[in-house]
Amino acid sequence: MARPNEEVATLLQEYADLISITGGDAYKARAYEKAARAIGGYHEDVSTLDLKGLQRIPGVGKSIAEKVLEYFETGSVHAVEELRAKIPAGVRRLTEIPTLGPKRAMTLYEELGVASVEELVDAIHAGRLRGLKGFGEKTEENILRGVRLLRQAGERVPVNVAMELAEEIVAELSRVAGCRRCVYAGSLRRWRETIGDIDILAAAQQPGPLMDAFTSLPYVDYVVAHGDTKSSIRTTKGLQVDLRVVAPDAWGAALQYFTGSKQHNIRIREIAVHKKLKLSEYGLFDARSGERIVSESEEEVYERLGLPWIDPALREDRGEIEAALRGELPRLVTERDIRGDLHTHTDLTDGLCSLEEMVEAAARRGYAYYAITDHAPNLRMQRMSDEKMLAQRERVRELDGRYRGMRLLHGAELNIDPEGNVDWPDAFLAGFDLCVASVHSHFNLPREEMTRRLVRACENPYVNIIGHPTARLIGRRPGIDADFDEVFRACARTGTALEVNAFPDRLDLNDELILRAKRYGVKFAIDSDAHSTVHLGLLRYGVGTAQRGWLTPDDVINTWPLARLREFLRKGR
């Protein structure tokens, strides 16, 4: 289930949106947004804190702390319920449309009576928005694009939300007497970026106790089905989870089958047919005699079909079977290969933890090196200055090597402006160990301008990594429109790495673009973009995305020894 911190963060963000929708104080709305971010990234479980403990969280005053306590005591917050009652549910749904925003949603309701996504789409097609101030043709296009994103997301959840719940369920069921094995399967095991429902697979001779334990979990809203081999539940958060229990001697075939993807499994079954075999979730059988040949492990199933075991992250029918037949499957990068994180933030800008706290947490992860890359001054809300950055650099140098011998790199996350320039002149940039450069504004430039913007940033001799290259936010903001093949060529030519940003609402680059970029010889950095010590652990989702993109340790610069990394960061200077 979601961490209590994340539940509270979601509630406070909703309250901030409700304040904005109802025309409330903008300062108050921003205060609740800030508190939501702070609580979401706080390292302690806020459900265990008292009033004073909550007030120690940056941005959480007495009034907000009292609302948090009220939520854990009663399950709701009166002030939030009061504002919810003032706004039709359909209007709140409108605020979820990327690019629309709460104020415009309320304008549509008050001026046109639009109270649902469907009514909004009809109003756009009927031309009813044209008379409203601030709603031009371009606005309509952006709203329709946002509606498409919202509908694509549907009831899917980010991979981290599904993973936390799946791991909790697996842990609970693994303790049930008679459970021989238990894992999550399906798209979650393949590291898809969003998950529709969770598939859990268990092995036991007697499935009854597992089914009873599963349908009795504390976060079950209702039981969809309760059977002998399959049961389904809907959680209190609206996510469906399916449990299948198989006999231990059918484990391997069942795990292969229920992991998918559908396209991969079709190809695997075709290979079985050509070998006069039949593959199902119960095993691999001789097609003529019906005798089961193998089924206890995935490795056995693949081997009997003349294939090496194929990592689940690759099972999308994107050439993995051909590579397996040629003996050319990649040795995929793993979290253990990562020697350091190259994109992180502190409370000097929009992070929640101090430099010392972030460095200590990184050292506990066993990193050999670690980069601090706070925001540069052109992102004005962060109030960065030359003096602040130089003072931080001095402190970084003082701390270098003090935490379990971990080496510290001082960097910055620069802003790529519409012309492709970055924040500081070369003379200042030369003092950094590395620079990440990212698009943080002007997301709707024409394709040619956006392409030139990124290519020019790559050509800057002090830009080492392009951060979250498409600038997308999954389900909330589409990626920028650029000729990424041209960008990939520029990265390969200039020695600029592309980031695989591990934050679950980014996962940027995505797997398909990683595959394309890799063909140009581009190198990558898998980074957490952590704004809190809690976020450092999100790196696993970046690694999963990199695996889906077929990346090996050699493709990823932060798996390299420090000497090799430093040579790459010089960028030929």
Side-chain angles (χ1 to χ4, degrees), residues 14-315:
E14 181 190 358
Y15 189 45
D17 290 341
L18 292 171
I19 292 170
S20 297
I21 293 172
T22 54
D25 181 50
Y27 176 80
K28 183 177 180 181
R30 286 195 297 271
Y32 276 90
E33 286 179 356
K34 184 177 179 181
R37 289 195 300 272
I39 288 175
Y42 197 59
H43 62 281
E44 288 188 60
D45 182 341
V46 294
S47 67
T48 66
L49 302 179
D50 60 13
L51 186 67
K52 289 184 178 179
L54 289 167
Q55 289 180 262
R56 285 195 292 269
I57 302 173
V60 177
K62 184 179 180 183
S63 177
I64 294 175
E66 288 174 341
K67 288 181 176 64
V68 175
L69 291 177
E70 181 185 353
Y71 174 72
F72 287 120
E73 289 169 2
T74 68
S76 64
V77 175
H78 177 72
V80 178
E81 296 299 328
E82 199 171 44
L83 284 186
R84 281 175 176 167
K86 293 181 179 180
I87 305 166
V91 176
R92 295 205 302 272
R93 177 66 169 166
L94 291 180
T95 66
E96 299 174 13
I97 298 173
T99 74
L100 185 59
K103 289 184 178 179
R104 282 182 168 177
M106 199 60 181
T107 297
L108 291 168
Y109 175 66
E110 292 175 339
E111 299 290 331
L112 302 177
V114 170
S116 72
V117 175
E118 291 70 23
E119 290 177 2
L120 175 56
V121 172
D122 290 343
I124 290 174
H125 291 319
R128 295 175 59 208
L129 272 62
R130 297 291 172 88
L132 295 180
K133 184 179 179 180
F135 286 86
E137 185 177 347
K138 187 67 175 179
T139 305
E140 291 176 347
E141 292 175 6
N142 290 336
I143 291 174
L144 289 174
R145 189 183 304 116
V147 170
R148 286 195 296 272
L149 281 172
L150 185 67
R151 287 173 171 169
Q152 285 168 8
E155 295 186 355
R156 299 182 73 82
V157 299
V159 61
N160 63 312
V161 174
M163 184 67 77
E164 289 170 7
L165 175 58
E167 289 180 335
E168 187 171 340
I169 292 174
V170 166
E172 290 283 349
L173 297 183
S174 295
R175 289 192 284 266
V176 174
C179 179
R180 300 274 289 275
R181 294 184 179 186
C182 188
V183 299
Y184 53 83
S187 58
L188 185 58
R189 189 173 179 231
R190 304 196 316 274
W191 290 102
R192 288 287 301 273
E193 61 192 32
T194 60
I195 307 299
D197 50 47
I198 296 173
D199 295 298
I200 305 292
L201 184 67
Q205 295 290 0
Q206 300 295 327
L210 278 167
M211 295 300 184
D212 292 341
F214 175 64
T215 55
S216 301
L217 290 169
Y219 31 81
V220 174
D221 185 27
Y222 62 90
V223 177
V224 179
H226 189 309
D228 295 331
T229 60
K230 178 185 175 182
S231 292
S232 299
I233 61 170
R234 199 82 173 176
T235 72
T236 52
K237 300 301 180 183
L239 192 58
Q240 180 160 321
V241 187
D242 300 325
L243 170 66
R244 293 174 175 85
V245 181
V246 300
D249 61 2
W251 174 259
L255 183 57
Q256 193 282 326
Y257 181 86
F258 289 116
T259 294
S261 66
K262 179 180 179 180
Q263 293 78 7
H264 176 86
N265 284 355
I266 288 172
R267 294 291 308 282
I268 292 295
R269 288 198 295 273
E270 287 173 351
I271 291 174
V273 169
H274 287 310
K275 293 181 178 290
K276 298 185 176 6
L277 301 170
K278 181 181 178 182
L279 179 62
S280 72
E281 64 265 45
Y282 303 107
L284 185 63
F285 300 87
D286 184 289
R288 283 173 287 197
S289 68
E291 178 186 359
R292 185 160 64 183
I293 301 170
V294 292
S295 64
E296 289 191 17
S297 74
E298 280 192 318
E299 289 80 1
E300 287 179 340
V301 171
Y302 279 103
E303 183 179 4
R304 183 62 181 79
L305 294 173
L307 297 167
W309 179 79
I310 299 175
D311 191 288
L314 300 180
R315 300 182 195 177

Side-chain angles (χ1 to χ4, degrees), residues 451 454-455 458 466 469-470 482-499 508-524:
T451 303
L454 290 173
V455 168
C458 292
I466 302 296
T470 75
D483 181 348
F484 277 101
D485 290 293
E486 187 64 29
V487 175
F488 299 155
R489 279 190 284 268
C491 286
R493 171 171 52 84
T494 62
T496 307
L498 288 170
E499 182 174 69
D508 182 12
L509 287 174
N510 68 16
D511 55 334
E512 293 179 355
L513 287 176
I514 292 170
L515 278 164
R516 277 170 56 187
K518 179 180 167 72
R519 297 188 187 109
Y520 288 93
V522 175
K523 297 301 181 184
F524 303 83

Side-chain angles (χ1 to χ4, degrees), residues 3 5 37-45 335 341 343-347 350-365 367 370 403 503 528-539:
R3 293 171 62 239
N5 300 42
R37 289 195 300 272
I39 288 175
Y42 197 59
H43 62 281
E44 288 188 60
D45 182 341
E335 198 170 357
D341 200 329
H343 181 180
T344 68
H345 298 273
T346 75
D347 60 3
D350 59 346
L352 302 171
C353 300
S354 68
L355 170 64
E356 289 78 6
E357 289 171 327
M358 295 298 291
V359 170
E360 183 177 3
R364 287 198 299 269
R365 292 179 62 83
Y367 288 149
Y370 177 74
Y403 291 81
F503 236 82
S528 69
D529 194 2
H531 286 63
S532 160
T533 56
V534 174
H535 297 156
L536 292 172
L538 297 176
L539 194 81

